[in-house]
Amino acid sequence: MVKNSIISASKANQLYWLGRYQERVYMTLHLMHKCYDQMIDGNPESYLPLRDMLAPTHYYPNNEEFALGMVYDENNPSSVFSALNRAMDNAILLREDIYTETLSYIELSISLMKKCKKENKINITLLQYITDWSLAFWGSAEQRIYNTRILSIMMIGRHVEYIDMMLRYNYDFKRISLAYKILKKYLNELPASVDSDIAGQLDALIVEEAFDLSNEEYKQKVTTYINKMIKI
């Protein structure tokens, strides 16, 4: 059995952000797939809520430009390509910790993304491969990473990003509360990584009687706390 070892602050930060960026790839593609299906089914304005959530600082004049931008625009930090590149930046530094097999799913995704970008069009089939490889990345990580602290830090980043994006896109209480319970399971394994005051406030906010994402003040507070709770 591999014993847990001390993880430096810089490595913990890299693991956390690898988890966040890799989940951002998956969630952005997942939301884009849903939006794209609606657009081709005759609802061309369906991209507007997603644009407001994912790219508030980037103007895309129509649904086609939005789809291309959110997938390929490297100048947009919310795009799939940007998230993949940032995941790769962290993964390269962590190769010995996450192993080559796990890293390879990011490498495959970037290679395919470059091919898609040259075509300058949305290829749903190829993007589905990247979506699938995003999930395969996590399957490989859980199978190969025996250092539970390393895996837990990555999973904390993954679930923080997951909850953040679900909050922004107004997912229901059941989905968000379940994700929060899973996040807390990993946080319990690394109590030093949590701001206990913020965690306590989140515990009081993510309950069914208080949950109300139509209330912008509530939504902003929960989103802010989720992103500030982690001390990695």
Side-chain angles (χ1 to χ4, degrees):
M1 179 180 291
V2 177
K3 295 182 179 180
N4 288 337
S5 57
I6 295 174
I7 299 173
S8 68
S10 60
K11 180 175 287 189
N13 185 264
Q14 290 158 4
L15 289 164
Y16 173 75
W17 281 103
L18 171 57
R20 289 204 65 159
Y21 285 127
Q22 191 60 25
E23 184 64 12
R24 190 174 301 176
V25 170
Y26 173 77
M27 280 297 290
T28 303
L29 283 171
H30 173 69
L31 293 169
M32 287 292 297
H33 276 300
K34 292 174 65 176
C35 178
Y36 200 70
D37 286 343
Q38 292 172 9
M39 288 191 295
I40 63 178
D41 284 341
N43 185 8
E45 302 302 315
S46 63
Y47 78 99
L48 292 173
L50 191 58
R51 182 197 65 185
D52 293 341
M53 183 193 81
L54 295 177
T57 62
H58 285 69
Y59 176 69
Y60 298 113
N62 54 57
N63 55 10
E64 182 178 358
E65 290 298 320
F66 168 74
L68 290 170
M70 281 308 306
V71 174
Y72 303 127
D73 187 355
E74 294 180 78
N75 294 317
N76 181 353
S78 297
S79 75
V80 175
F81 208 177
S82 288
L84 271 174
N85 284 328
R86 285 166 174 76
M88 188 65 173
D89 290 343
N90 287 286
I92 286 291
L93 298 173
L94 297 164
R95 181 189 292 270
E96 293 184 2
D97 300 288
I98 67 172
Y99 303 107
T100 300
E101 293 87 351
T102 306
L103 173 63
S104 67
Y105 289 107
I106 303 178
E107 293 175 323
L108 284 168
S109 296
I110 289 177
S111 177
L112 187 54
M113 182 66 75
K114 289 178 178 178
K115 178 181 178 180
C116 294
K117 187 176 181 181
K118 287 181 180 179
E119 298 176 357
N120 196 37
K121 64 181 181 180
I122 300 297
N123 187 320
I124 292 296
T125 301
L126 296 185
L127 292 181
Q128 185 60 52
Y129 282 124
I130 297 174
T131 304
D132 293 342
W133 289 336
S134 295
L135 294 175
F137 168 90
W138 290 110
S140 177
E142 291 182 316
Q143 182 179 39
R144 292 180 169 85
I145 298 175
Y146 294 102
N147 186 317
T148 56
R149 287 176 61 84
I150 285 176
L151 185 59
S152 291
I153 294 170
M154 288 174 60
M155 296 301 284
I156 287 169
R158 179 188 189 183
H159 284 87
V160 166
E161 187 68 26
Y162 182 44
I163 295 170
D164 176 86
M165 293 192 74
M166 286 197 296
L167 287 167
R168 294 177 189 276
Y169 209 58
N170 296 325
Y171 272 62
D172 61 37
F173 170 74
K174 185 177 180 180
R175 293 283 296 275
I176 290 173
S177 62
L178 177 59
Y180 183 57
K181 287 178 183 177
I182 296 172
L183 172 61
K184 288 177 67 177
K185 181 191 76 170
Y186 289 107
L187 293 175
N188 287 337
E189 297 173 10
L190 298 169
S193 67
V194 187
D195 185 312
S196 57
D197 290 337
I198 293 178
Q201 293 184 69
L202 275 172
D203 288 346
L205 288 168
I206 305 180
V207 292
E208 193 162 10
E209 55 268 28
F211 189 83
D212 182 10
L213 294 184
S214 66
N215 182 324
E216 286 300 321
E217 182 179 354
Y218 169 88
K219 182 177 180 178
Q220 184 60 46
K221 184 180 291 186
V222 176
T223 302
T224 298
Y225 286 168
I226 281 290
N227 285 282
K228 287 187 174 182
M229 177 175 60
I230 310 302
K231 300 191 299 182
I232 292 176

